[in-house]
Structure formats: C-alpha cells, structure tokens
Amino acid sequence: MPLHIVRNDITQMKVDAIVNAANETLLGGGGVDGAIHRAAGPGLLAECRTLNGCRTGEAKVTGAYRLPCRYVIHTVGPIWRGGLFGERQKLISCYRTSLSAAEAHRCETVAFPLISSGVYGYPKDKALRVAVDTISDFLSDHEMTVYLVIFDKASFQIGERLFRSIESYIDDHYAAAHEDSREVQRSRILQAEQSYSFKPTEEDAAAPFPKEKPSKISDTPKAAPAAKPFPGSRTVAGGAALFPEPASALAPHFGAAASLEEALRRIDESFSEMLLRKIDERGMTDAQCYKKANIDRKLFSKIRNDRLYRPSKPTVLAFAIALELPLEETKDMLMKAGFALSHSSRFDIIVEYFISKGNYNIFEINEALFAFDQNLLGA
Ligand code: APR
C-alpha cells in the first residue's frame, strides 16, 4: 500500500528516510524536531550546523546517526496565521521538496509527521488534507511507500462535519444489524434455511443435467465459496444447481447478464478475472487501477498472475473503490473472494457510507477509517 497512515513515534520508524518538522535555524527545538535530535544524538546537530539553516517550504538532507533509518530530511513548515498568507502553498511545498529529496537519495520508504500541525498551529484537519493530497498526488506517478506517522490521536482530525455524518451513518446501520434479539435472529436463520433447502423429488433427482457439463458450481475451484442457491433455483445432490428460472431472474445477482450462459460464466469468474474484466471495461490501465486502489505493484501482479488468488477483504474493497463500483457490484466482487459486507462491522459500514455518497477517494476513506480506529483499505 503506497500511502500508510500509522500510529507511531517517527523516531522508531525503520524506513530509508524520516522527515523532520524543523524550524529555519535547523538547530533543534521541541515536538518532533526535539524527539528526532534526542534519538539521533549530537552528531545530527553538528551536521545541521553546517547547513546554514533552511527556508520555509524547502528541505535539506542529513545522515541519521543513531536513528533506525538512513537519512533525515529536514523541512520547515509554515506558521499558521489564519490561512491568508500562503500557508497552504508553503505546506504543499514542504511535502513536495521532501519527496523529491527522498527520490534523489533513492529512498523507497519515507515517513512524514503531520508538518506544522503542532507548535506551528496549522489546523489539524487542514494539515492532514494537504499531506494526504500532496503525497497521493506524488505517488500517482512514482513508486515509493510513504508513511504518515500520527504520534497522538489528538493530532489527527478529519473534518468535524464528515466525522459526524459517518458517526450517524454507523449508528443507523450498526444498530439495525444488532437490534434483533437472539430469538428473532434465530428464527430468521431458520426461515432462511427452510426457504432455501429444496428436497429434490425423485423426478428432479432423475432429471438430466442441462446439455452442457453440470454447472461448474460443484467443481468451483476451492478458492471460491460454494455459491448459495438462488431463490427459485434447485440444488440436487452433488451441489450442482439447476436454474429453471430464465436468466432474467438471475439478473439481480449477476447484473444484466444477458443470457443464462453468461450468468453461469460469471458464477465461475474468480475475483481476479472479475477485477481484470472491470479494469478493461473501465478503459483503465493496470497501473492506474492499483495506484487508485493504493495497492503496491507487487501485490497487483500476484493477483493478476493467479486466477484463484485469495485477496484480503480490504484489498477487494480497495479495488472496488478504485473501479468506482456501485454497491451491488462491490458485493458481487466481495462474494467472488468469499466475503460479504456486514452491518456488524464498522469498517464495512464506513466503506459503504462512502460508496453510497459516491465518494471513491480512497485516501479520504482511509483517513475516516483511521479516525474510527479501523484497518485501512489496501493491502
Ligand atoms: N513522532 C511523530 N510525530 C510527532 C512526534 C513524534 N515523536 N512528536 C510530535 N509529533 C507530531 C505532533 O503531534 C504534530 O502532529 O508532529 C506534528 C508536528 O508538530 P511539531 O513537532 O510541533 O512541528 P510543527 O507544528 O511543524 O512546529 C515546528 O516546533 O518543534 C518545533 O523546532 C520545531 O520550531 C519548530 C516547530
């Protein structure tokens, strides 16, 4: 996942370079600057003295001394004065110049603090927005893994309005999934079993399979879950399902599958095949898709080269977001990987919230997931 948001102390990060939120003297200070100098030891200050300071928005590189990384990239963020003095542009420049310096030093992994969001008073949600937008913009055409390191939860804030809106969406949906008492839940499960478990009559059991080979449901590769019989379908011994219904009855399950054959073919389609089909249908390149999904190239090529690859749920959802799939197709893609969206999971509800709002910005979704202490989308 090219952009991670993590809770940590940046001086502990084992990466190629960490970025320091310094001041223009480069002679140390409090906050993250003080922490980095303390952890690096006196050698860092000695080298900083030779640099002759650093202007706001610019970046300079030193060694890392006792830190578990190779370089320290010192940048100086803007002091917040209300937002009318070019603070945003200067903050963007901090991330851009630091990323360029990291690239020039052949760094593959870089860790940033939330620059200017402490002593310099930049509003935390605005500082986060600038950080995520600038870093993700850089990653759209560079291969690098970047960590945005959040030291304390208080220094992490998404927009208040967005936070409240997600919170009430969770309350509405999470509660609904939990309002059933145990009895009601048990009777629901019983009902579902009765309506689906079809006892084939003698005649059904003897009925010849459709002309083509028995439906591949029974020999679906182990990687995918046995498909649930669809309402109106009949399962006979051996798991093969007969679909007496016209393909149209299957449409809700397979989108507008024009024919029964196409519907059956989609049953067999693996997650990986559906992903590649959707990339082609959207006219995207592979790289555009996995970058938009915040997935690294290596993982994508594993999925691409193994038709039965079993991805994690966050990975499936990351691709559904990148492809901007509507909710039903997202559920279909999840099902092919053996998952379902659940209203008992805050993670699922938050992702569903963004899809329902038509917001497919994976970085914004990850910020929200992070704010609600959930795993992030992507590998
Ligand atoms: N690891 C990661 N992040 C940290 C750490 C740490 N060890 N310590 C603090 N932070 C976070 C803060 O919570 C804040 O979100 O870094 C972010 C930036 O805060 P500051 O360190 O105060 O930096 P900034 O707001 O850019 O102000 C820079 O402060 O320390 C002085 O010398 C520095 O004058 C400069 C000014």
Side-chain angles (χ1 to χ4, degrees), residues 8-11 21-23 28-35 113-121 149 151-152 155:
N8 204 344
D9 172 347
I10 202 166
T11 64
N23 57 56
V32 72
D33 194 4
L114 215 45
I115 300 166
S116 283
S117 67
V119 168
Y120 280 1
V149 182
F151 186 56
D152 54 76
S155 67

PDB file of all heavy atoms in Angstrom, residues 8-11 21-23 28-35 113-121 149 151-152 155, ligand 1:
ATOM      1  N   ASN A   8       2.526   5.986  15.488  1.00  0.00           N
ATOM      2  CA  ASN A   8       3.855   5.582  15.934  1.00  0.00           C
ATOM      3  C   ASN A   8       4.636   6.824  16.356  1.00  0.00           C
ATOM      4  O   ASN A   8       4.209   7.955  16.146  1.00  0.00           O
ATOM      5  CB  ASN A   8       4.588   4.854  14.796  1.00  0.00           C
ATOM      6  CG  ASN A   8       5.692   3.913  15.334  1.00  0.00           C
ATOM      7  OD1 ASN A   8       6.106   4.029  16.491  1.00  0.00           O
ATOM      8  ND2 ASN A   8       6.136   2.993  14.506  1.00  0.00           N
ATOM      9  N   ASP A   9       5.808   6.565  16.911  1.00  0.00           N
ATOM     10  CA  ASP A   9       6.799   7.619  17.170  1.00  0.00           C
ATOM     11  C   ASP A   9       7.753   7.577  15.981  1.00  0.00           C
ATOM     12  O   ASP A   9       8.372   6.543  15.716  1.00  0.00           O
ATOM     13  CB  ASP A   9       7.530   7.280  18.481  1.00  0.00           C
ATOM     14  CG  ASP A   9       8.712   8.208  18.731  1.00  0.00           C
ATOM     15  OD1 ASP A   9       9.105   8.936  17.795  1.00  0.00           O
ATOM     16  OD2 ASP A   9       9.249   8.175  19.849  1.00  0.00           O
ATOM     17  N   ILE A  10       7.861   8.648  15.255  1.00  0.00           N
ATOM     18  CA  ILE A  10       8.619   8.635  13.987  1.00  0.00           C
ATOM     19  C   ILE A  10      10.077   8.228  14.195  1.00  0.00           C
ATOM     20  O   ILE A  10      10.718   7.700  13.290  1.00  0.00           O
ATOM     21  CB  ILE A  10       8.510  10.007  13.284  1.00  0.00           C
ATOM     22  CG1 ILE A  10       8.799   9.858  11.774  1.00  0.00           C
ATOM     23  CG2 ILE A  10       9.422  11.061  13.918  1.00  0.00           C
ATOM     24  CD1 ILE A  10       8.383  11.063  10.953  1.00  0.00           C
ATOM     25  N   THR A  11      10.590   8.426  15.422  1.00  0.00           N
ATOM     26  CA  THR A  11      11.999   8.060  15.638  1.00  0.00           C
ATOM     27  C   THR A  11      12.187   6.539  15.672  1.00  0.00           C
ATOM     28  O   THR A  11      13.298   6.060  15.669  1.00  0.00           O
ATOM     29  CB  THR A  11      12.511   8.645  16.975  1.00  0.00           C
ATOM     30  OG1 THR A  11      11.771   8.047  18.053  1.00  0.00           O
ATOM     31  CG2 THR A  11      12.352  10.156  17.008  1.00  0.00           C
ATOM     32  N   ALA A  21      10.012  17.974  11.124  1.00  0.00           N
ATOM     33  CA  ALA A  21       9.319  19.274  11.064  1.00  0.00           C
ATOM     34  C   ALA A  21      10.178  20.252  11.867  1.00  0.00           C
ATOM     35  O   ALA A  21      10.012  20.405  13.077  1.00  0.00           O
ATOM     36  CB  ALA A  21       7.927  19.150  11.657  1.00  0.00           C
ATOM     37  N   ALA A  22      11.113  20.863  11.174  1.00  0.00           N
ATOM     38  CA  ALA A  22      12.138  21.684  11.843  1.00  0.00           C
ATOM     39  C   ALA A  22      11.748  23.161  11.823  1.00  0.00           C
ATOM     40  O   ALA A  22      10.641  23.523  11.418  1.00  0.00           O
ATOM     41  CB  ALA A  22      13.466  21.467  11.136  1.00  0.00           C
ATOM     42  N   ASN A  23      12.671  24.010  12.298  1.00  0.00           N
ATOM     43  CA  ASN A  23      12.493  25.455  12.119  1.00  0.00           C
ATOM     44  C   ASN A  23      13.655  25.960  11.267  1.00  0.00           C
ATOM     45  O   ASN A  23      14.567  25.200  10.965  1.00  0.00           O
ATOM     46  CB  ASN A  23      12.461  26.179  13.478  1.00  0.00           C
ATOM     47  CG  ASN A  23      13.719  25.891  14.276  1.00  0.00           C
ATOM     48  OD1 ASN A  23      14.827  26.132  13.811  1.00  0.00           O
ATOM     49  ND2 ASN A  23      13.537  25.313  15.466  1.00  0.00           N
ATOM     50  N   GLY A  28      17.361  22.493  16.020  1.00  0.00           N
ATOM     51  CA  GLY A  28      16.584  21.720  17.008  1.00  0.00           C
ATOM     52  C   GLY A  28      15.516  22.576  17.665  1.00  0.00           C
ATOM     53  O   GLY A  28      15.435  23.791  17.462  1.00  0.00           O
ATOM     54  N   GLY A  29      14.668  21.891  18.423  1.00  0.00           N
ATOM     55  CA  GLY A  29      13.538  22.597  19.064  1.00  0.00           C
ATOM     56  C   GLY A  29      12.749  21.611  19.877  1.00  0.00           C
ATOM     57  O   GLY A  29      13.310  20.635  20.410  1.00  0.00           O
ATOM     58  N   GLY A  30      11.426  21.794  19.897  1.00  0.00           N
ATOM     59  CA  GLY A  30      10.584  20.871  20.661  1.00  0.00           C
ATOM     60  C   GLY A  30       9.925  19.879  19.730  1.00  0.00           C
ATOM     61  O   GLY A  30      10.470  19.566  18.652  1.00  0.00           O
ATOM     62  N   GLY A  31       8.776  19.371  20.114  1.00  0.00           N
ATOM     63  CA  GLY A  31       7.956  18.498  19.250  1.00  0.00           C
ATOM     64  C   GLY A  31       8.763  17.408  18.579  1.00  0.00           C
ATOM     65  O   GLY A  31       9.694  16.833  19.148  1.00  0.00           O
ATOM     66  N   VAL A  32       8.427  17.166  17.334  1.00  0.00           N
ATOM     67  CA  VAL A  32       9.088  16.069  16.604  1.00  0.00           C
ATOM     68  C   VAL A  32      10.568  16.408  16.353  1.00  0.00           C
ATOM     69  O   VAL A  32      11.424  15.529  16.374  1.00  0.00           O
ATOM     70  CB  VAL A  32       8.336  15.764  15.286  1.00  0.00           C
ATOM     71  CG1 VAL A  32       8.522  16.838  14.251  1.00  0.00           C
ATOM     72  CG2 VAL A  32       8.730  14.409  14.734  1.00  0.00           C
ATOM     73  N   ASP A  33      10.859  17.691  16.212  1.00  0.00           N
ATOM     74  CA  ASP A  33      12.243  18.149  15.996  1.00  0.00           C
ATOM     75  C   ASP A  33      13.107  17.740  17.198  1.00  0.00           C
ATOM     76  O   ASP A  33      14.173  17.122  17.057  1.00  0.00           O
ATOM     77  CB  ASP A  33      12.218  19.681  15.852  1.00  0.00           C
ATOM     78  CG  ASP A  33      13.512  20.251  15.302  1.00  0.00           C
ATOM     79  OD1 ASP A  33      14.403  19.459  14.960  1.00  0.00           O
ATOM     80  OD2 ASP A  33      13.617  21.491  15.222  1.00  0.00           O
ATOM     81  N   GLY A  34      12.560  18.040  18.359  1.00  0.00           N
ATOM     82  CA  GLY A  34      13.293  17.683  19.587  1.00  0.00           C
ATOM     83  C   GLY A  34      13.443  16.184  19.729  1.00  0.00           C
ATOM     84  O   GLY A  34      14.528  15.672  20.054  1.00  0.00           O
ATOM     85  N   ALA A  35      12.380  15.444  19.403  1.00  0.00           N
ATOM     86  CA  ALA A  35      12.431  13.975  19.545  1.00  0.00           C
ATOM     87  C   ALA A  35      13.482  13.375  18.613  1.00  0.00           C
ATOM     88  O   ALA A  35      14.244  12.483  18.988  1.00  0.00           O
ATOM     89  CB  ALA A  35      11.046  13.392  19.233  1.00  0.00           C
ATOM     90  N   PRO A 113       5.925  13.235   9.584  1.00  0.00           N
ATOM     91  CA  PRO A 113       4.991  13.624  10.644  1.00  0.00           C
ATOM     92  C   PRO A 113       3.961  14.543  10.007  1.00  0.00           C
ATOM     93  O   PRO A 113       4.068  14.857   8.815  1.00  0.00           O
ATOM     94  CB  PRO A 113       5.891  14.397  11.616  1.00  0.00           C
ATOM     95  CG  PRO A 113       6.878  15.082  10.699  1.00  0.00           C
ATOM     96  CD  PRO A 113       7.105  14.130   9.549  1.00  0.00           C
ATOM     97  N   LEU A 114       2.985  14.980  10.777  1.00  0.00           N
ATOM     98  CA  LEU A 114       1.986  15.914  10.233  1.00  0.00           C
ATOM     99  C   LEU A 114       2.569  17.327  10.384  1.00  0.00           C
ATOM    100  O   LEU A 114       2.370  18.007  11.393  1.00  0.00           O
ATOM    101  CB  LEU A 114       0.687  15.753  11.030  1.00  0.00           C
ATOM    102  CG  LEU A 114      -0.629  15.915  10.296  1.00  0.00           C
ATOM    103  CD1 LEU A 114      -0.623  15.179   8.962  1.00  0.00           C
ATOM    104  CD2 LEU A 114      -1.785  15.428  11.149  1.00  0.00           C
ATOM    105  N   ILE A 115       3.285  17.768   9.391  1.00  0.00           N
ATOM    106  CA  ILE A 115       4.055  19.006   9.453  1.00  0.00           C
ATOM    107  C   ILE A 115       3.154  20.208   9.779  1.00  0.00           C
ATOM    108  O   ILE A 115       2.032  20.311   9.287  1.00  0.00           O
ATOM    109  CB  ILE A 115       4.771  19.240   8.099  1.00  0.00           C
ATOM    110  CG1 ILE A 115       5.710  18.063   7.798  1.00  0.00           C
ATOM    111  CG2 ILE A 115       5.552  20.550   8.109  1.00  0.00           C
ATOM    112  CD1 ILE A 115       6.202  18.023   6.360  1.00  0.00           C
ATOM    113  N   SER A 116       3.643  21.061  10.628  1.00  0.00           N
ATOM    114  CA  SER A 116       3.005  22.329  11.032  1.00  0.00           C
ATOM    115  C   SER A 116       1.766  22.171  11.897  1.00  0.00           C
ATOM    116  O   SER A 116       1.180  23.180  12.316  1.00  0.00           O
ATOM    117  CB  SER A 116       2.616  23.191   9.808  1.00  0.00           C
ATOM    118  OG  SER A 116       3.763  23.818   9.282  1.00  0.00           O
ATOM    119  N   SER A 117       1.348  20.920  12.170  1.00  0.00           N
ATOM    120  CA  SER A 117       0.076  20.733  12.906  1.00  0.00           C
ATOM    121  C   SER A 117       0.268  20.795  14.409  1.00  0.00           C
ATOM    122  O   SER A 117      -0.681  20.600  15.166  1.00  0.00           O
ATOM    123  CB  SER A 117      -0.534  19.373  12.536  1.00  0.00           C
ATOM    124  OG  SER A 117       0.297  18.341  13.035  1.00  0.00           O
ATOM    125  N   GLY A 118       1.484  21.059  14.861  1.00  0.00           N
ATOM    126  CA  GLY A 118       1.736  21.154  16.318  1.00  0.00           C
ATOM    127  C   GLY A 118       1.982  22.590  16.723  1.00  0.00           C
ATOM    128  O   GLY A 118       1.086  23.451  16.613  1.00  0.00           O
ATOM    129  N   VAL A 119       3.195  22.879  17.101  1.00  0.00           N
ATOM    130  CA  VAL A 119       3.584  24.238  17.559  1.00  0.00           C
ATOM    131  C   VAL A 119       3.194  25.312  16.539  1.00  0.00           C
ATOM    132  O   VAL A 119       2.740  26.385  16.882  1.00  0.00           O
ATOM    133  CB  VAL A 119       5.123  24.290  17.804  1.00  0.00           C
ATOM    134  CG1 VAL A 119       5.611  25.717  17.989  1.00  0.00           C
ATOM    135  CG2 VAL A 119       5.466  23.423  19.001  1.00  0.00           C
ATOM    136  N   TYR A 120       3.302  24.975  15.262  1.00  0.00           N
ATOM    137  CA  TYR A 120       3.037  25.994  14.227  1.00  0.00           C
ATOM    138  C   TYR A 120       1.545  26.223  13.985  1.00  0.00           C
ATOM    139  O   TYR A 120       1.177  27.044  13.149  1.00  0.00           O
ATOM    140  CB  TYR A 120       3.778  25.639  12.930  1.00  0.00           C
ATOM    141  CG  TYR A 120       5.252  26.027  12.955  1.00  0.00           C
ATOM    142  CD1 TYR A 120       5.813  26.617  14.090  1.00  0.00           C
ATOM    143  CD2 TYR A 120       6.078  25.807  11.872  1.00  0.00           C
ATOM    144  CE1 TYR A 120       7.155  26.962  14.137  1.00  0.00           C
ATOM    145  CE2 TYR A 120       7.419  26.154  11.898  1.00  0.00           C
ATOM    146  CZ  TYR A 120       7.951  26.733  13.049  1.00  0.00           C
ATOM    147  OH  TYR A 120       9.281  27.092  13.087  1.00  0.00           O
ATOM    148  N   GLY A 121       0.698  25.460  14.665  1.00  0.00           N
ATOM    149  CA  GLY A 121      -0.716  25.788  14.745  1.00  0.00           C
ATOM    150  C   GLY A 121      -1.578  25.588  13.522  1.00  0.00           C
ATOM    151  O   GLY A 121      -2.719  26.037  13.465  1.00  0.00           O
ATOM    152  N   VAL A 149       2.939   9.438   9.797  1.00  0.00           N
ATOM    153  CA  VAL A 149       3.045   8.945  11.172  1.00  0.00           C
ATOM    154  C   VAL A 149       2.300   9.863  12.127  1.00  0.00           C
ATOM    155  O   VAL A 149       2.637  11.046  12.247  1.00  0.00           O
ATOM    156  CB  VAL A 149       4.527   8.855  11.590  1.00  0.00           C
ATOM    157  CG1 VAL A 149       4.649   8.287  12.996  1.00  0.00           C
ATOM    158  CG2 VAL A 149       5.302   7.987  10.599  1.00  0.00           C
ATOM    159  N   PHE A 151       1.449  10.707  15.829  1.00  0.00           N
ATOM    160  CA  PHE A 151       2.042  10.416  17.150  1.00  0.00           C
ATOM    161  C   PHE A 151       0.967  10.267  18.207  1.00  0.00           C
ATOM    162  O   PHE A 151       0.987   9.374  19.020  1.00  0.00           O
ATOM    163  CB  PHE A 151       2.972  11.572  17.512  1.00  0.00           C
ATOM    164  CG  PHE A 151       3.758  11.355  18.765  1.00  0.00           C
ATOM    165  CD1 PHE A 151       4.568  10.234  18.904  1.00  0.00           C
ATOM    166  CD2 PHE A 151       3.690  12.257  19.806  1.00  0.00           C
ATOM    167  CE1 PHE A 151       5.320  10.044  20.048  1.00  0.00           C
ATOM    168  CE2 PHE A 151       4.433  12.073  20.966  1.00  0.00           C
ATOM    169  CZ  PHE A 151       5.243  10.959  21.078  1.00  0.00           C
ATOM    170  N   ASP A 152       0.014  11.164  18.185  1.00  0.00           N
ATOM    171  CA  ASP A 152      -1.059  11.028  19.180  1.00  0.00           C
ATOM    172  C   ASP A 152      -2.385  11.311  18.486  1.00  0.00           C
ATOM    173  O   ASP A 152      -2.456  12.117  17.562  1.00  0.00           O
ATOM    174  CB  ASP A 152      -0.843  12.013  20.342  1.00  0.00           C
ATOM    175  CG  ASP A 152      -0.701  13.424  19.795  1.00  0.00           C
ATOM    176  OD1 ASP A 152      -1.734  14.006  19.416  1.00  0.00           O
ATOM    177  OD2 ASP A 152       0.435  13.892  19.649  1.00  0.00           O
ATOM    178  N   SER A 155      -3.630  14.661  17.558  1.00  0.00           N
ATOM    179  CA  SER A 155      -3.040  15.429  16.443  1.00  0.00           C
ATOM    180  C   SER A 155      -3.617  14.960  15.111  1.00  0.00           C
ATOM    181  O   SER A 155      -3.135  15.287  14.052  1.00  0.00           O
ATOM    182  CB  SER A 155      -1.524  15.228  16.423  1.00  0.00           C
ATOM    183  OG  SER A 155      -1.251  13.875  16.078  1.00  0.00           O
TER     184      SER A 155
HETATM  185  N1  APR B   1       6.671  11.217  16.095  1.00  0.00           N
HETATM  186  C1  APR B   1       5.724  11.580  15.183  1.00  0.00           C
HETATM  187  N2  APR B   1       5.034  12.724  15.251  1.00  0.00           N
HETATM  188  C2  APR B   1       5.295  13.544  16.309  1.00  0.00           C
HETATM  189  C3  APR B   1       6.280  13.230  17.308  1.00  0.00           C
HETATM  190  C4  APR B   1       6.968  12.001  17.162  1.00  0.00           C
HETATM  191  N3  APR B   1       7.906  11.613  18.028  1.00  0.00           N
HETATM  192  N4  APR B   1       6.286  14.251  18.202  1.00  0.00           N
HETATM  193  C5  APR B   1       5.363  15.148  17.820  1.00  0.00           C
HETATM  194  N5  APR B   1       4.772  14.720  16.676  1.00  0.00           N
HETATM  195  C6  APR B   1       3.698  15.354  15.901  1.00  0.00           C
HETATM  196  C7  APR B   1       2.836  16.329  16.635  1.00  0.00           C
HETATM  197  O1  APR B   1       1.808  15.645  17.360  1.00  0.00           O
HETATM  198  C8  APR B   1       2.276  17.123  15.482  1.00  0.00           C
HETATM  199  O2  APR B   1       1.111  16.473  14.974  1.00  0.00           O
HETATM  200  O3  APR B   1       4.301  16.089  14.866  1.00  0.00           O
HETATM  201  C9  APR B   1       3.370  17.056  14.405  1.00  0.00           C
HETATM  202  C10 APR B   1       4.093  18.383  14.181  1.00  0.00           C
HETATM  203  O4  APR B   1       4.214  19.047  15.441  1.00  0.00           O
HETATM  204  P1  APR B   1       5.573  19.854  15.836  1.00  0.00           P
HETATM  205  O5  APR B   1       6.635  18.919  16.171  1.00  0.00           O
HETATM  206  O6  APR B   1       5.163  20.840  16.871  1.00  0.00           O
HETATM  207  O7  APR B   1       6.021  20.610  14.496  1.00  0.00           O
HETATM  208  P2  APR B   1       5.391  21.918  13.835  1.00  0.00           P
HETATM  209  O8  APR B   1       3.990  22.129  14.190  1.00  0.00           O
HETATM  210  O9  APR B   1       5.767  21.791  12.401  1.00  0.00           O
HETATM  211  O10 APR B   1       6.230  23.105  14.503  1.00  0.00           O
HETATM  212  C11 APR B   1       7.597  23.168  14.220  1.00  0.00           C
HETATM  213  O11 APR B   1       8.126  23.192  16.506  1.00  0.00           O
HETATM  214  O12 APR B   1       9.437  21.615  17.494  1.00  0.00           O
HETATM  215  C12 APR B   1       9.444  22.882  16.975  1.00  0.00           C
HETATM  216  O13 APR B   1      11.691  23.212  16.185  1.00  0.00           O
HETATM  217  C13 APR B   1      10.345  22.980  15.783  1.00  0.00           C
HETATM  218  O14 APR B   1      10.162  25.327  15.686  1.00  0.00           O
HETATM  219  C14 APR B   1       9.726  24.128  15.096  1.00  0.00           C
HETATM  220  C15 APR B   1       8.245  23.957  15.331  1.00  0.00           C
END
